[in-house]
Amino acid sequence: QVQLVESGGGSVQAGESLRLSCAASGYTTTTYCMGWFRQAPGKEREGIAIIYTDGTVKYYTDSVKGRFTISQDNAKKTLSLQMNSLKPEDTAMYYCAAGRFAFWCGSWSPSHYDYWGQGTQVTVSS
């Protein structure tokens, strides 16, 4: 089992920045990729950034490309998401996720990820 705990959410003005963190514990060596997902009220959960746990590959969805950066510190077992130039449409609950199967790494579908954190709220006002 892998446990994930997010932190760093908050309320900011449009144009400001936030940095989310996800602390992983447990059998983290069993995961091949990790990602950040978000879910706004009334909308489906969507993947926004994915990283292979060996750090070789990163994916970003178009809506955050150029503004968000995913990174990881394997020694500290921490996944991060630096979010710059935030927009009101970025308002959502943000979740950290980890996948056990290399075949699904790079998938944006939440169903392909096995472990989830409890989420951290990000609110961006105009």
Side-chain angles (χ1 to χ4, degrees):
Q1 287 292 323
V2 174
Q3 294 78 43
L4 303 172
V5 179
E6 303 96 335
S7 61
S11 297
V12 296
Q13 297 287 323
E16 295 184 341
S17 299
L18 277 176
R19 186 176 181 87
L20 305 184
S21 294
C22 173
S25 60
Y27 293 100
T28 57
T29 55
T30 63
T31 60
Y32 284 93
C33 52
M34 298 188 73
W36 287 98
F37 291 73
R38 66 186 182 187
Q39 188 168 16
K43 295 188 176 181
E44 294 187 352
R45 190 171 297 189
E46 63 168 345
I48 57 172
I50 296 168
I51 186 169
Y52 282 40
T53 51
D54 62 6
T56 57
V57 180
K58 298 180 183 180
Y59 298 108
Y60 297 96
T61 193
D62 287 344
S63 61
V64 306
K65 198 174 296 181
R67 299 188 298 124
F68 291 9
T69 302
I70 189 170
S71 61
Q72 62 185 14
D73 183 331
N74 286 333
K76 296 182 179 179
K77 296 185 178 181
T78 301
L79 181 73
S80 298
L81 185 69
Q82 178 66 40
M83 305 187 296
N84 298 329
S85 303
L86 283 161
K87 304 176 181 180
E89 50 264 44
D90 294 318
T91 294
M93 185 71 80
Y94 283 69
Y95 298 90
C96 168
R100 291 184 296 154
F101 300 103
F103 181 82
W104 292 119
C105 280
S107 170
W108 294 116
S109 173
S111 66
H112 294 152
Y113 291 80
D114 306 284
Y115 306 108
W116 292 86
Q118 82 289 349
T120 186
Q121 178 68 37
V122 173
T123 302
V124 185
S125 56
S126 57

